[in-house]
Amino acid sequence: MMRRIDRYNYEEFFLDYLEGNLNDSEKKNLESFLALNPDLKEELDEMCLIELEEENITFDKSSLKQIPFETDFEDFCVAKLEGDLEQEEEIAFTKYLNDNLIGKAQYQLYEKTKLTADFDIIYLDKEELKRKERKIIPYWMISGVGIAASVLLLFSVWNTSISDTSAEHDSAKKVAYNDSVKKVIVAPAKDSNRFEKLVGIKSEFNTAKQEIVGTVNQEVEKVIAKSQPLEKKLDRIVTANAVVENPSKNQQAEAQKISLPEVIKTAELKVLANVEVIEQKIESQDKEMNEVPVNTGLANLGMSWKSSVKAKRKSNSLLYAVAKMGVDKIGEIAGKKVQLEKQYDSETEKTRLNFNTKGLGFSTSIK
Amino acid sequence: MNTVEYNKSVDKYADGMFRFILKNIRDEDKARDIVQDSFEKLWRNIENVNYQKVKSYLFTTAYHTMIDLIRKEKRKEDFEKVDVKEYSHSEQYSDLKEVLNIALEKLSDIQRSVILFRDYEGYSYAEIAEITDLNESQVKVYIYRARKNLKSFIGSIETLV
């Protein structure tokens, strides 16, 4: 049913007209009504003027998305560098950096903080740090080492006991000379006249030697042969102008015990009789000790021994060398460092030989 | 771990350890001593250390030895009242590497250690935490602070240049 328009309901029609809700017949009726009521037409025109146009207001939603990047920019830079960002964050932050030149420059500074190792710096002594393969020691080697250790121990004890007691006396009794000429020590000339005298005597000796050519025998030949080193020795001693002190009683006693082979002794005495000034003297204690071989129980084992302080020192050195070699070998087999050291104790005046490992310690006095 | 693996470890890690320690304490002899000590400890514990974890073992040992040394040195410095070195920005820097070395020296000991572990050895936060006896969050914080400090130093140099 079509509605009728009149002065009491025209506003409703006007609003529908403005909203575009009237159909064609209603629009014709409205136009007829307005022609009859021109005052209301003016009112409709006024209503048409009040039409709000849509404002073009836009909101930058992207700025909302940038807020965490702005406020925590530094953290995002480090997180990106360290790979701590989630995939979405990574994409968004990268986009942010691309749109923000200042931010990008700052991030590039962060990229420069990435340290790179300097491969020129190397540890040079790597070989020193390395270790040798641990060896499995076979039974025979262990037993061998055991035997060696026993021998070493026995040797040490024997050495110590012999050295401490009668080594010097026993050895003196058993002195044996093989080369008598070397052992004859001539008193040095104290002045040049004496030297000339000696030279003259040597000349006489040579002359006499020529005279008895016809009757010379093998014994004399030996004497001449033996006299050669003697001459050299005389020259050396005189040139050096060495002064030989009188030997001590003990040394004299030791010298008296020297037994020369008969042939050499005879020849020697001839020379001595002519020279006269030659005396049997011991040059010095140290020199004597060097030259006098001493026989001990070790000879039974085919080993040599010398009866003097120096010789004892030598023996001790030998013991040290043997011990050092043995200990080094044990260390090598065990793959561990075994220390061997000599310590001198001033109170007891003894030298001690010590070696230590974690599992084994050994110490012996070697005087 | 056996002797062969031990010797391999020497070849693989001695250089890295030496570099790491040297960058931290800047004393070649002490750095060498620390590397030697670390391998000595490894040798003593060779039976108990798994070859897969030997790198971590070595770096942990070296790090803690180094920290002990630094503490000892610091006590000495405090006692002797030695002034801490101050680096002037007026120095001439030839390249970024040099700038970074200076910047690295200005970091705190812990910041320097964690960032060297991170960059030199590529360790994760968790691995660094295990070596340094810190938790992962602390490691992360120290690394972030170190990066910001390094960046700040580089930035100030570049601005001047």
Side-chain angles (χ1 to χ4, degrees), chain A residues 181 186 195 202 225-240:
Chain A
V181 178
V186 179
F195 173 61
K202 280 197 286 180
K226 292 288 182 183
S227 67
Q228 294 306 315
L230 178 62
E231 288 171 17
K232 285 178 185 173
K233 198 151 196 162
L234 285 170
D235 291 343
R236 181 173 62 78
I237 293 167
V238 173
T239 307

Side-chain angles (χ1 to χ4, degrees), chain A residues 242-258:
Chain A
V243 178
V244 179
E245 301 298 331
N246 288 329
S248 65
K249 285 182 180 178
N250 285 341
Q251 287 165 339
Q252 279 178 329
E254 189 169 296
Q256 285 168 6
K257 288 168 188 165
I258 295 169

